[in-house]
Amino acid sequence: GAGVSQSPSNKVTEKGKDVELRCDPISGHTALYWYRQSLGQGLEFLIYFQGNSAPDKSGLPSDRFSAERTGGSVSTLTIQRTQQEDSAVYLCASSQQTSGFYNEQFFGPGTRLTVL
Amino acid sequence: SQELEQSPQSLIVQEGKNLTINCTSSKTLYGLYWYKQKYGEGLIFLMMLQKGGEEKSHEKITAKLDEKKQQSSLHITASQPSHAGIYLCGAEGTSGSRLTFGEGTQLTVNP
């Protein structure tokens, strides 16, 4: 596709339920990033994939959060036993990065998660 | 860890006015990115600055990175309602990859 796509665009769930958020990066982009944007917290890094491996998971807030990437393309962010504080917009980005600096990240439109 | 501070947090200007948004880093910047976000949408890439003293322009938006590479400014000339949105600066860390973002500057341009 032309850009990064994410689904669903909106997700409302009940506290305690599990949710899966999907990201389709730009074709050929080897690097994929997940960020979270919430009120009062700004934009926070969650996890970074290079190919199918995740060299940097340092931003995942708890063990309820996990992510995987298959085939060097699609990624899924899973939140188990959701809590109200998980409510946020989850943004995915991809870049052509193979290593080093100065790699523009292209962002998707985000998934707005609301936990009731 | 690197921290980015943006100022002002919000800005309301009349159409046609010039404005400046600043981004200050606690550490040397290796790559500084400016993005724009409209409510409910993703981030739109504006510009990337690498070298101290570098300046880039696109249409009516100019971004600069100071010589010491610890501060960047974004200047909009003759603002228009289409410029309204949240402007975010982001910086790469010492190992590249992840971006650390400032809190954002909410810009409103009144017609």
Side-chain angles (χ1 to χ4, degrees):
Chain A
V4 178
S5 61
Q6 292 186 245
S7 61
S9 55
N10 278 286
K11 177 71 177 178
V12 180
T13 191
E14 294 180 347
K15 179 181 173 181
K17 300 284 188 182
D18 297 352
V19 295
E20 283 190 354
L21 312 179
R22 177 186 168 108
C23 172
D24 279 274
I26 292 173
S27 178
H29 280 191
T30 59
L32 186 147
Y33 312 78
W34 283 99
Y35 295 87
R36 177 170 73 171
Q37 188 175 34
S38 50
L39 286 175
Q41 296 292 326
L43 196 58
E44 305 171 271
F45 167 82
L46 297 177
I47 186 170
Y48 153 61
F49 286 93
Q50 183 62 44
N52 291 335
S53 64
D56 190 351
K57 305 179 183 180
S58 61
L60 294 177
S62 76
D63 58 8
R64 296 186 295 105
F65 287 71
S66 63
E68 64 176 14
R69 190 179 184 194
T70 55
S73 181
V74 172
S75 176
T76 303
L77 177 70
T78 301
I79 309 173
Q80 296 178 309
R81 305 181 302 281
T82 52
Q83 304 293 313
Q84 288 181 334
E85 62 262 29
D86 298 335
S87 297
V89 176
Y90 289 82
L91 291 161
C92 174
S94 70
S95 73
Q96 289 183 323
Q97 176 184 20
T98 53
S99 65
F101 299 99
Y102 316 132
N103 297 285
E104 178 188 344
Q105 294 183 21
F106 295 82
F107 282 78
T111 293
R112 182 174 297 277
L113 175 66
T114 303
V115 182
L116 301 177
Chain B
S1 62
Q2 185 162 37
E3 292 185 359
L4 296 177
E5 186 172 326
Q6 285 187 239
S7 62
Q9 290 183 326
S10 65
L11 191 55
I12 302 173
V13 300
Q14 206 64 33
E15 182 176 359
K17 295 294 186 183
N18 302 337
L19 62 104
T20 300
I21 299 169
N22 293 303
C23 176
T24 302
S25 172
S26 59
K27 297 183 179 180
T28 299
L29 293 162
Y30 290 93
L32 189 285
Y33 298 75
W34 282 101
Y35 285 88
K36 178 185 175 185
Q37 184 179 32
K38 293 211 165 186
Y39 180 77
E41 300 179 12
L43 277 63
I44 300 168
F45 173 78
L46 296 175
M47 274 170 277
M48 179 187 73
L49 302 167
Q50 304 174 25
K51 302 174 184 176
E54 185 174 14
E55 179 175 321
K56 288 186 177 178
S57 293
H58 177 66
E59 297 179 344
K60 294 185 178 181
I61 301 176
T62 300
K64 302 178 184 179
L65 183 61
D66 77 350
E67 290 288 345
K68 295 183 179 179
K69 296 177 67 175
Q70 286 200 258
Q71 186 172 46
S72 178
S73 61
L74 186 82
H75 185 76
I76 299 177
T77 304
S79 59
Q80 300 170 358
S82 61
H83 288 127
I86 299 172
Y87 289 80
L88 291 153
C89 64
E92 289 177 299
T94 54
S95 60
S97 67
R98 64 190 287 179
L99 291 177
T100 298
F101 286 91
E103 292 286 320
T105 295
Q106 173 83 56
L107 173 64
T108 303
V109 180
N110 291 325

